[in-house]
Structures are given as structure tokens and as C-alpha cells.
Amino acid sequence: RTEILQVYLKKITLGKGIDSDRIAQGTPGFSGADLANLVNKYPKKYIGLGSLPMQDPELAVQELFRIKELGLKGVQIGSNIEDKNLNEPDFFPVWEACEKLGLAVLVHPWNMMGKKNMNKYWLPWLVGMPAETSRAMCSMIFGGVFDKFPNLRVNFCHASGSFLSTIGRIEHGFNCRPDLVAVDNPKNPREYCGHFWVDCITHDEDMLHYVLKMQGSKRVTLGSDYPFPLGDLEIGEFINQMNLEKSVVEDIFCNSTLEWLNLKKEIFI
């Protein structure tokens, strides 16, 4: 089994006299190089994704070129950047560079909106995270990011969060209030299903069938969220028990991820 490794960076509270630019430039750079060393040591076992200082898009673009040189295949980012949505023009140079360099993007929810008002019952993770992923997807769709950068390859975690399960409401809002929703992009949001990738982490067989119907098996990748308790800690086992067609299972376990990362299967054999 080949695993995808990502660099996780927590938000840093800056103290007096600390150079934020140096932290933004140095932290992803150091961790990315360390990860690249591991991938290069075991190239058939691991694929690496870097991290970006997205709060400074200019530095983020510089880091993308370095990530490419290191041999990493993409980057992981959050669902918002210090509360800014991913359709903000500030981030266009980052999407342009990802597209130019052929680097894939993985969007994972974080910095959940409303977190301070729903601390009980683990609601930020059960409610906030799915909403965050949908927020990222809707902002990129309504902001026309996928049309401005048609070769951008983006994968959204947790089977799209709440996006696919509420696409009817999202589409209805687009149709009934275009004056509010279709202000930057006239294309129906449903048309984007199957343009991006999502992972398979639904924890529910019926929901995965629905995701496969909406996306097609070639746009559903294997996810785990390992080692976190909300992850699929028996990675892919429920998929093996679903009596799916062999070609669908192979797409989820292998082909979809390879296409998202623009890799050939032969290099892992």
C-alpha cells in the first residue's frame, strides 16, 4: 500500500519581535524538505504533499516552486485562510502556480466557523467540519475558480463534507436567487460535480453509493483521516464489503488518486 503524507501546521501566535514572514517561509520549507527526504527514501511506499504559508500568497507561490523541486506532488491547505474564502483574488496567483506546476491541491476543513458557540458535543468536528468543506467548495465554484483555472486539480476531504448531500439546496438557491448567488459565475453548481475529486470517508455505505453516483468512481479517492478517531481506521475495509464492481473499487483504491496527482501506476509496481 502506498500512503500519502501531508504536513500539518497549526496556527502560530506571534510574540513580540518574531518575524512572521520568516516563520511563514521557514516552517513549511523545513517540514516539506523533511517529508521529501522520507518520500525519496521509500518512493514506492509514500507520496508527499507540502504545506503553504497561504496567509502570504507571494511567499506561498515561492514555496510552490520549491515543493516542485523537492519532488512533492501537491499541497494541503485549509478550507479558509484566516477566515478568507478560497475564491478571494489574493489567492489567484497560488491557483495559477499550482496549475502551471502541475501540483495537486487537497482541501481539509479547519478553523471552523462558529466554533466558539458550539464547543459541546464535539460539534465543531461533527457539524463545523462538514460545513467548512462545503464553504470551501461553494466559494470556489461561485467564485469561478475552476473556470479561471480549468486544469487545477482539487480534492476535498470527508467526501465533500455537506456539499454533495445539500447540492439540491445549493442549486435551488442558485436558481431562485441568482442576484445573490450567481453574481460571479453564471454556471449551475451541479455542473461541477465530477470536475473535482472527493475522498471516500462517509462512514456510511448508502452515502458512499450516493457520492459515487454524483461524482463517478474516477473522482472518488481513498481516504483514511488516520490516525484520528473520526477517521476510517480500518482503511477501506467497508468498501471491500459493499459488493461494488471490481473496477469501481480499483478506481477508489488506486486510479482516482493517481489521476488527481498526475502519476502513473507503473512507478509503484
Side-chain angles (χ1 to χ4, degrees):
R1 187 176 71 209
T2 302
E3 298 182 18
I4 299 177
L5 303 177
Q6 304 118 32
V7 177
Y8 287 87
L9 295 177
K10 294 184 178 180
K11 294 184 73 174
I12 300 172
T13 301
L14 303 180
K16 189 174 182 180
I18 297 176
D19 186 340
S20 62
D21 285 345
R22 289 186 64 185
I23 288 179
Q25 196 168 22
T27 305
F30 174 80
S31 54
D34 187 59
L35 187 63
N37 288 335
L38 178 62
V39 172
N40 291 333
K41 189 175 181 179
Y42 303 102
K44 292 190 177 184
K45 293 291 185 181
Y46 298 113
I47 303 166
L49 300 180
S51 185
L52 295 176
M54 288 289 287
Q55 70 272 26
D56 188 325
E58 184 177 345
L59 285 177
V61 170
Q62 292 178 28
E63 182 65 9
L64 282 168
F65 280 87
R66 211 180 70 85
I67 283 169
K68 182 70 173 181
E69 292 176 0
L70 288 171
L72 301 179
K73 304 305 178 184
V75 295
Q76 176 178 299
I77 65 170
S79 50
N80 68 79
I81 311 301
E82 296 183 332
D83 296 321
K84 287 185 178 181
N85 287 328
L86 300 182
N87 64 297
E88 291 291 336
D90 290 353
F91 304 128
F92 287 179
V94 177
W95 309 140
E96 183 179 15
C98 286
E99 191 178 52
K100 178 181 179 179
L101 296 169
L103 293 172
V105 178
L106 180 67
V107 179
H108 190 285
W110 85 314
N111 189 30
M112 286 80 82
M113 51 187 168
K115 182 178 180 180
K116 65 180 181 180
N117 297 318
M118 55 176 181
N119 284 325
K120 199 173 181 181
Y121 307 124
W122 216 20
L123 292 183
W125 278 260
L126 302 182
V127 177
M129 276 195 167
E132 271 296 326
T133 307
S134 184
R135 170 189 180 180
M137 297 176 76
C138 284
S139 66
M140 294 184 81
I141 288 171
F142 294 140
V145 172
F146 294 118
D147 296 280
K148 292 181 177 72
F149 309 99
N151 296 315
L152 187 65
R153 306 191 311 276
V154 184
N155 193 348
F156 295 95
C157 289
H158 310 153
S160 85
S162 60
F163 177 82
L164 287 174
S165 61
T166 59
I167 186 61
R169 180 181 180 88
I170 293 166
E171 180 185 42
H172 183 61
F174 171 86
N175 289 329
C176 74
R177 290 303 306 265
D179 56 315
L180 298 177
V181 181
V183 292
D184 292 321
N185 183 5
K187 189 183 295 186
N188 189 311
R190 188 181 291 268
E191 295 182 30
Y192 292 90
C193 295
H195 178 88
F196 44 75
W197 285 259
V198 303
D199 70 28
C200 65
I201 305 177
T202 62
H203 307 288
D204 184 277
E205 292 185 9
D206 289 339
M207 181 56 69
L208 183 55
H209 279 299
Y210 170 74
V211 169
L212 287 166
K213 177 183 176 182
M214 296 298 294
Q215 284 283 111
S217 62
K218 295 189 181 301
R219 288 295 182 272
V220 180
T221 62
L222 181 64
S224 69
D225 246 353
Y226 181 87
F228 301 106
L230 266 177
D232 175 14
L233 302 186
E234 296 180 341
I235 302 171
E237 183 57 32
F238 82 104
I239 295 171
N240 284 326
Q241 298 174 358
M242 286 178 61
N243 296 317
L244 297 168
E245 292 184 11
K246 183 179 179 180
S247 61
V248 172
V249 175
E250 186 172 336
D251 282 343
I252 297 173
F253 282 2
C254 177
N255 296 332
S256 300
T257 298
L258 291 174
E259 186 175 351
W260 166 53
L261 296 173
N262 194 28
L263 295 172
K264 300 294 183 184
K265 186 185 299 186
E266 289 72 23
I267 66 177
F268 299 101
I269 298 174

